[in-house]
Amino acid sequence: MERALQIVSIIVSVVLIILVLLQAKGAGLGDLLGGGESGGITRTRRGLEKTLFQITVVLGFVFLMVSILSFALNN
């Protein structure tokens, strides 16, 4: 069981990293802090961008649950 949780954790974390990198396309540090070309105006996510965001949130929750379950089984 521990081995399976480790494998699932690795797979989910790699997919999460890929999804975050796909979302960060075109977003610099200035945009992250509220600066950049947008002038502080936020825009709504649409289409594929919204879907990627939702999948990232779900996978983040899955990763959290797998980590908690793995910790609980080891102690």
Side-chain angles (χ1 to χ4, degrees):
M1 183 69 171
E2 284 181 39
R3 189 76 164 155
L5 283 175
Q6 289 174 348
I7 292 171
V8 169
S9 179
I10 290 170
I11 291 171
V12 171
S13 64
V14 168
V15 173
L16 252 171
I17 290 169
I18 291 169
L19 286 174
V20 168
L21 289 175
L22 284 173
Q23 287 182 28
K25 180 184 71 165
L29 186 57
D31 292 336
L32 181 67
L33 299 175
E37 296 176 13
S38 65
I41 299 172
T42 59
R43 61 183 187 92
T44 59
R45 292 180 171 94
R46 295 183 180 163
L48 182 61
E49 186 179 357
K50 183 177 180 180
T51 304
L52 282 175
F53 177 74
Q54 291 170 340
I55 293 171
T56 303
V57 170
V58 170
L59 277 180
F61 181 74
V62 168
F63 182 75
L64 179 67
M65 291 296 112
V66 168
S67 298
I68 290 172
L69 184 60
S70 178
F71 179 76
L73 289 177
N74 286 332
N75 290 335

